[in-house]
Amino acid sequence: MQGIGFGMAAALAATLVPGVSRAAEDQVRAPVPVIDWQACTNAKQFRCATVAVPLDYDNPGGAKILLDLLKVPAARPSTKIGTLFVNPGGPGGSSTGFAPMASILLGSTVRNRYDVIGIDPRGVGASTPMKCVSDAPRPPGIDYLFPMTWAQAKPAFIQAQWTRWACADQAAPIVRHMSTADTARDMDLMRQAVGEKKLNYYGISYGTQLGSTYASMFPSRVGRFVVDGVLDPIAWSTGDVVPAVQPFSTRLRSAKGAHEALMSALEDCDRVGRAKCDFAGNASGKWQRLVTLAKAGKLTAYGSPLSYADLIGGVLGFLYATRYVGLDSALQGIWEENAGSGARASASAVADLRAAGERVRKAPYATPLLRGEVVSDAFSGVACSDTRNPDSVTDWWRAGVEQDTKYPGFGSLWTWASASCSKWPIVTKSDSYFRPYGGATATPILVVGNTYDPATPIHGARKVASLFTGARLLTYDGWGHGAIGTGCVTRAFDRYYATGALPPVGAVCPMDSGLWDGDAG
C-alpha cells in the first residue's frame, strides 16, 4: 500500500476483511483537556464549555476539533454520586439540547445526584459542524419521501448520492472522522477530564449504538449504563453477510417495528371505541382504504393532495410517541374528507401529520423529544462511516420492495433512508468499530425495549442483552420509541442509578395509561 502508513493500512484492512477488528482498550490515550465551565449564555443555571480534542486519535498530538458541552449540575451536590453522559440519538441529535430534559425525565436520582453532561457529537455541534461542498449542481429536487416505482428510484438515488459526491469532493476534515467509534473516544476522553473512573451513561435510539460501541471498546470503564430503544449493533455495522447485500436501514428491520406498531394500535383503537379513539370502527379497513387512495394519487387532506409517501411518513412520526395524541383525529378527518361526506380534514391535523414526517426524515434514530435540535447532514456523516452497504440503486430498490411485501409502506421508507451510504468513501471508515460487540463489562448494563417500537424493534434490545455478560432486559409493554419518561421505567432507572440494582429477570413495565386515553372528544 504505497503512500499509506502501516497503521492506516491495518485500519483499512480491518474495515475490509471479515472478522478483523480492533481489540478492546482500557481507555483513550490522548492529552486530557481541562474543561473551563462557564454559565451558559442563554441558560445561566447550566454550565457550558468548548473543548479541543484530537481530530484523529491515531495522531492524538495532531490537528484538533472543538466539541460543545453542556452540564446540568446535580440539584443536591452534597449527595452527588457522579457524572452521567447522555445522547439522544439521530445520528445528528444535539446532546447539549437533550441534557436538560434528560436530567428531569431520568428520575430523581439522576436529577439530584448526578451532573448530567451532553456532548454534541463531532460534526453535530456548532463549533465543528459537518460540511461538504460540491462544484456539481444539486440534482433536480424530487417531491416524494421514497420511490414507489422503478422510474422514481433512479432520481431518488441520484439525489441521495449528491451528499456522498459532495463529501468525497470538498469535505471538511471532520467528515473523515465522524464514526461512532470516534465519538466514543471523545466520550472517554471527557470521562477522564471530569475525573470519573467509569462512564455512567444513558443513550436512546442511535445513542444505544454509541453505548454498545463504547461498552465494547472500553468494557473496563462501563459504569451505570442504560440503553433505551435499542439498535442491533451487528445489523447496524455489518449484518451477518459480508459483503453486505442489504442497506443497513433494511437490516435493522425498523419497518417491521413500524408496521407492527401501527397494526396493533389500530386494533387497540377498535377495542377502546370512539369514546377514546376517533378512528375506531373498522380502523384497519379504513386505513387500507386511505392507503389505496394515496397510491392511486386520489387522497386529499384539507383540500390538497396527500401523497402515499407523505401519509406513511407522517403516520410514522406519530408512532414515536408513547401515546398517539392526535393521530386518530388526523386519520378520521382525512377518512371523512375522502369518504364523500363533504367534510374536510382540519388544517392543523394535516400540518401536524406533515411535521411528524419531517422530524423522522431528519433524524430517524432519535428520541421523539427532539424538535429543532437536529443537524440533518450528520446522519449520513455518522451512519455511512459506521456501516457496510451494497453499491447500486438496484440494491436499494430490491430491498425496499422485498420489505414492503412484509411491512407495507414502511419497508421502502426505512430502506431509502440510507441511500446516501452507497459507496461512501472507505477512508472515512478507517477508525470505525465493526466488531466484536458484547462481552463482560465492569458494571452490568440495563437494556430497555418497547414491545411496539416503530424505529428500534424489541429484537434489538434482546440482542444487546444477549451480547453483554450480565446485562438485564427490562421490557416496556407498550408503544412508542424508547421508554424514557414512563413511570415504571423511571422507577427502575432511579434504583439502578442509585445503587446499580437491576430489575428482576423477565421484568415487564406496564403503560402508565391507555394508548388513546385522553385523546378523543
Side-chain angles (χ1 to χ4, degrees), residues 9-316:
L12 283 171
T15 71
L16 295 169
V17 180
V20 176
S21 39
R22 293 172 177 266
E25 307 168 39
D26 176 57
Q27 64 180 23
V28 160
R29 307 294 178 182
V32 179
V34 175
I35 304 177
D36 182 19
W37 295 109
Q38 302 289 333
C40 298
T41 302
N42 298 321
K44 301 295 184 182
Q45 71 273 34
F46 305 138
R47 297 293 176 264
C48 288
T50 302
V51 180
V53 301
L55 171 68
D56 183 354
Y57 280 95
D58 290 330
N59 182 20
K64 299 291 190 291
I65 60 168
L66 299 177
L67 298 180
D68 299 312
L69 282 66
L70 183 143
K71 176 171 69 173
V72 182
R76 297 180 182 173
S78 63
T79 65
K80 179 181 167 183
I81 295 173
T83 300
L84 180 72
F85 292 87
V86 297
N87 183 280
S94 168
S95 296
T96 59
F98 180 59
M101 291 184 288
S103 68
I104 296 171
L105 293 175
L106 292 176
S108 59
T109 296
V110 168
R111 182 168 58 254
N112 292 324
R113 306 186 66 188
Y114 284 86
D115 290 341
V116 177
I117 292 180
I119 309 167
D120 279 347
R122 47 179 54 214
V124 173
S127 295
T128 311
M130 175 183 174
K131 185 177 181 180
C132 296
V133 179
S134 177
D135 293 332
R138 183 181 287 274
I142 55 176
D143 60 359
Y144 44 89
L145 183 62
F146 56 86
M148 291 176 57
T149 65
W150 174 245
Q152 290 181 339
K154 292 182 179 180
F157 195 72
I158 291 171
Q159 183 72 229
Q161 285 291 282
W162 189 85
T163 300
R164 194 257 303 171
W165 296 333
C167 290
D169 187 10
Q170 300 178 48
I174 187 61
V175 177
R176 299 178 183 271
H177 302 280
M178 282 184 64
S179 71
T180 297
D182 272 332
T183 294
R185 295 178 182 104
D186 292 336
M187 200 158 59
D188 192 67
L189 194 60
M190 294 306 100
R191 171 194 64 78
Q192 297 176 56
V194 299
E196 295 283 359
K197 292 182 178 180
K198 295 179 182 177
L199 186 127
N200 305 306
Y201 182 71
Y202 172 85
I204 186 170
S205 196
Y206 159 76
T208 68
Q209 180 65 24
L210 175 58
S212 293
T213 301
Y214 182 92
S216 299
M217 292 174 64
F218 308 108
S220 66
R221 298 296 176 177
V222 170
R224 292 172 188 171
F225 209 94
V226 175
V227 287
D228 179 10
V230 186
L231 290 162
D232 176 343
I234 297 172
W236 173 276
S237 300
T238 63
D240 296 322
V241 178
V242 179
V245 296
Q246 287 185 323
F248 84 87
S249 56
T250 307
R251 296 194 299 257
L252 290 167
R253 290 187 287 160
S254 298
K256 179 178 186 291
H259 178 73
E260 291 180 350
L262 178 59
M263 293 300 103
S264 62
L266 295 178
E267 289 181 10
D268 192 64
C269 177
D270 280 338
R271 182 186 65 80
V272 301
R274 289 294 295 271
K276 291 187 176 181
C277 179
D278 287 343
F279 199 52
N282 190 23
S284 61
K286 291 194 292 187
W287 166 252
Q288 292 303 328
R289 179 59 179 163
L290 295 182
V291 166
T292 299
L293 289 171
K295 284 184 173 180
K298 297 179 179 179
L299 189 69
T300 64
Y302 196 62
S304 298
L306 184 67
S307 73
Y308 174 64
D310 282 343
L311 175 67
I312 295 292
V315 167
L316 176 59

Side-chain angles (χ1 to χ4, degrees), residues 147-151 153 392-402 412 415-416:
M148 291 176 57
T149 65
W150 174 245
S392 74
V393 61
T394 306
D395 296 311
W396 264 262
W397 173 251
R398 184 185 299 117
V401 170
E402 288 177 354
S412 286
T415 291
W416 283 87

Side-chain angles (χ1 to χ4, degrees), residues 449-511:
N450 291 21
T451 307
Y452 298 115
D453 192 310
T456 55
I458 196 168
H459 67 256
R462 291 169 178 156
K463 172 61 76 67
V464 168
S466 71
L467 289 172
F468 287 95
T469 305
R472 184 67 48 81
L473 174 63
L474 173 63
T475 299
Y476 174 73
D477 189 20
W479 289 263
H481 181 40
I484 187 172
T486 58
C488 169
V489 172
T490 301
R491 291 189 289 275
F493 288 167
D494 267 332
R495 290 189 296 273
Y496 178 71
Y497 282 124
T499 67
L502 293 165
V505 174
V508 177
C509 276
M511 296 179 67

